[in-house]
Amino acid sequence: MNEITVTGMVLSTAPVGEYDRRVVILTREQGKVAAFARGARKPNSPLVGAVNPCSFGEFDLYAGRSSYTIRSARISNYFGELREDMIGAYYGFYFLEFADFYAKEGNDEREMLKLLYQTMRALLNEKIPNRLIRYIFELRALCINGEGPQVFACVSCGDQKHPALFSVKKGGLVCAGCRADTADGMELDTSTLYCMQYVESSTIEKLYTFVVSDSVLEELGRAMERYMDVYVDKKFKSLEILETLL
């Protein structure tokens, strides 16, 4: 029997039949994996808590003819505190849905898994605004997927000393000499630009170690919302629900 042990986080779960669940896990070893949790909907099942969204730990899987089945799990963090905070929970669901959309089976998703784990931890930190966590996550996730904006040099000529505008359609900064045909350019405060540069260049472990002023948060939000509208071809249900609650 082909059995493997993976480390990962449950992205989603759905009922199957009378007692089973189909679980999608973002793993360090196999990328995104779908597996069945047999009997997980029975109250006395050892998997009943292990296959909830956000659960992070080790999962023992065995491969059948066409799918994986979860044999056992050892959960190290359930992020259960999020269930007591409706707003925080929906932010968490959004991040899970975002990761599920981008992650691929058999792909190297270690960076996305690390980002997801650190983001969930950040949601439990009352000192960091949830909106800032959202924008940091979105920007870094897009970078991991190879779609992040160029925020260190002009996208047209490579100039690093005279950034003038941030252009969503051009994919990043445009210098003063290249701005003539930039119809969608927006000026960024120096602090906003530094924030974006830090998010793109920092280690994931240090992403959620700062806060910004309200004005920078608003400007960062405008930049990310415009960027997401152009480069992310997906409407996330969890985000739509979240926005009705805010």
Side-chain angles (χ1 to χ4, degrees):
M1 185 178 295
N2 186 17
E3 187 167 329
I4 62 172
T5 298
V6 296
T7 298
M9 179 178 290
V10 175
L11 298 179
S12 65
T13 178
V16 175
E18 190 173 0
Y19 297 115
D20 302 340
R21 287 192 178 278
R22 182 182 182 274
V23 183
V24 178
I25 310 169
L26 184 62
T27 75
R28 186 167 58 199
E29 297 84 0
Q30 301 286 330
K32 187 168 68 173
V33 171
F36 289 97
R38 308 294 183 187
R41 295 166 64 195
K42 295 180 180 180
N44 61 345
S45 170
L47 295 177
V48 67
V51 296
N52 287 327
C54 292
S55 296
F56 179 89
E58 291 186 338
F59 299 84
D60 298 321
L61 313 176
Y62 68 86
R65 291 182 178 179
S66 59
S67 64
Y68 284 106
T69 298
I70 302 175
R71 177 182 292 278
S72 59
R74 294 168 296 283
I75 304 302
S76 57
N77 200 333
Y78 290 92
F79 293 99
E81 299 94 329
L82 292 177
R83 301 191 188 106
E84 302 171 5
D85 175 10
M86 181 180 294
I87 301 298
Y90 271 102
Y91 270 106
F93 290 144
Y94 169 51
F95 301 143
L96 294 176
E97 190 178 356
F98 195 106
D100 195 4
F101 175 69
Y102 271 105
K104 301 293 186 292
E105 295 182 11
N107 198 30
D108 184 354
E109 302 291 356
R110 287 175 292 180
E111 289 295 291
M112 185 65 81
L113 177 61
K114 189 187 299 184
L115 174 63
L116 194 58
Y117 183 81
Q118 294 297 336
T119 302
M120 294 300 178
R121 289 186 61 191
L123 282 175
L124 304 179
N125 186 345
E126 296 180 354
K127 296 180 180 179
I128 306 176
N130 288 337
R131 286 178 60 203
L132 178 58
I133 294 171
R134 170 188 168 180
Y135 302 142
I136 291 173
F137 172 85
E138 290 172 343
L139 180 54
R140 189 55 176 258
L142 288 170
C143 290
I144 290 173
N145 198 55
E147 295 180 322
Q150 167 59 269
V151 294
F152 292 94
C154 174
V155 296
S156 297
C157 70
D159 180 90
Q160 299 180 14
K161 297 181 179 179
H162 307 95
L165 299 174
F166 179 76
S167 170
V168 169
K169 291 183 179 179
K170 290 190 175 182
L173 296 180
V174 180
C175 73
C178 299
R179 64 180 293 175
D181 62 341
T182 306
D184 71 327
M186 62 180 294
E187 295 186 7
L188 295 181
D189 183 88
T190 303
S191 296
T192 306
L193 178 58
Y194 176 76
C195 174
M196 297 177 75
Q197 291 173 338
Y198 181 83
V199 171
E200 291 200 7
S201 61
S202 170
T203 62
I204 290 177
E205 290 81 1
K206 293 183 178 179
L207 277 180
Y208 301 106
T209 57
F210 68 94
V211 294
V212 297
S213 67
D214 291 343
S215 61
V216 169
L217 183 60
E218 291 296 327
E219 190 171 73
L220 179 62
R222 287 194 298 272
M224 288 309 304
E225 286 169 12
R226 292 184 190 181
Y227 201 85
M228 291 279 290
D229 285 342
V230 172
Y231 290 95
V232 181
D233 185 23
K234 168 75 173 178
K235 297 296 183 183
F236 297 98
K237 293 181 179 179
S238 50
L239 181 58
E240 292 176 350
I241 295 173
L242 177 61
E243 289 176 340
T244 66
L245 299 174
L246 296 176

